[in-house]
Amino acid sequence: MKFQLSPEQRQFSASLHDLLGGADTAAVARAWAAGSPERGLKLLRALADLGVPALLVDEDHGGLGGSPVDLVVAFEALGYHAVPGPLVETAAAAPAVLTGDQLAALAGGELLATVVAPPEVPLALDADVAGVLLDLNEGEVTDVGIDLVPSIDPARRLFRITGTTRPTAADPIAFDRGVLAVSAQLLGAGQWLLDASVAYAKQRSQYGRAIGEYQAVKHLLADVVTQLELARPLLYGAAVAGDTFARDVSAAKVMAGDAAYLAARTALQVHGAIGYTAEHDLGLRLTKVRALAGAWGTGSFHRARVLAALR
């Protein structure tokens, strides 16, 4: 199957990178992790102006009526720049559940959503800034109580929630769209890690030569390139899948998670001790990749789902 992004999708990706590249997303993520979401919320509103939360909302509710491919394009860029916030929940999962005025508010960037889907998604991301909380198994949660719990990625603020639920028109596709978006984030984060490692290998010298000239370093980086390029077609293949959407999304999550994890390990090895410093932006992606690899279903869960679908 031959697949290419449309000119509009390429322009959309370029617009996102232009916006996020000038937004100092590292500082935004650190402020978000510290419990100061103001800059992050401003950035989310700018993303809304570009149509990110409206991608999967139908045009009758002010959305763009886009496709899962559009979603992947957006979340690759969001993962690359480590943008914090409940974006997967708002732009990928919630449009399959919300209706009426809530859906229109979501598309317009006036409403953020967060979700749980036990057991794979037991905790709600950024429940303190979300205007609506959805349990993908039970419905909308009302009279919500939230309790912050530790997260391996401080910029992913996780909450244990309590409350009562009222049934909604829950769509099972909501979970798989969430998995697809997280997979795209992983691929984007992995690409940033590769780009940063290549740039560092060109400037860091040892014994009079840039470390990127050494075969051992070249082989490490080449392995990352290979894994990312193998993951990308699975991700876009899942985005255009029909009846096999759930199976293909799980395969993409496994592959993107493995590729991003390899990119993270390699980046830390190439950067050496500087990679451990909290001030270096590398740390934002290292924790992000580790957290996203287990978010919306572990690798074991998704491997088992692929196996069950093939039997």
Side-chain angles (χ1 to χ4, degrees), residues 20-204:
L20 298 173
D24 194 1
T25 54
V28 171
R30 290 190 174 95
W32 192 278
S36 300
E38 292 79 13
R39 291 184 65 180
L41 292 174
K42 182 179 179 181
L43 180 58
L44 297 187
R45 285 192 289 273
L47 289 170
D49 291 340
L50 283 181
V52 172
L55 285 172
L56 298 185
V57 177
D58 61 85
E59 295 178 1
D60 289 343
H61 290 89
L64 300 176
S67 71
V69 175
D70 300 318
L71 191 73
V72 170
V73 169
F75 276 86
E76 262 202 83
L78 297 171
Y80 189 92
H81 295 278
V83 179
L87 286 159
V88 170
E89 293 74 8
T90 298
V97 179
L98 294 180
T99 58
D101 292 343
Q102 283 185 316
L103 189 56
L106 188 92
E110 300 152 11
L111 178 67
L112 294 173
T114 189
V115 307
V116 292
E120 280 69 47
V121 188
L123 301 172
L125 181 68
D126 300 313
D128 56 339
V129 299
V132 61
L133 194 151
L134 302 168
D135 184 328
L136 297 185
N137 301 325
E138 302 290 340
E140 182 178 350
V141 183
T142 58
D143 302 321
V144 180
I146 60 174
D147 182 23
L148 183 66
V149 299
S151 172
I152 191 170
D153 175 11
R156 284 176 54 81
R157 292 167 54 78
L158 299 174
F159 292 84
R160 185 173 290 106
I161 60 105
T162 57
T164 57
T165 57
R166 61 181 182 186
T168 58
D171 189 329
I173 205 171
F175 175 78
D176 290 321
R177 283 180 174 174
V179 176
L180 182 69
V182 167
S183 303
Q185 276 186 307
L186 280 163
L187 194 66
Q191 187 64 52
W192 186 94
L193 287 160
L194 173 64
D195 292 348
S197 299
V198 170
Y200 187 75
K202 289 180 178 177
Q203 73 175 40
R204 175 78 166 88

Side-chain angles (χ1 to χ4, degrees), residues 220-247:
L220 286 173
L221 296 171
D223 286 344
V224 176
V225 172
T226 301
Q227 290 302 308
L228 290 173
E229 289 308 308
L230 287 174
R232 184 165 281 107
L234 262 70
L235 181 63
Y236 281 94
V240 297
D243 295 340
T244 60
F245 184 57
R247 181 198 68 186

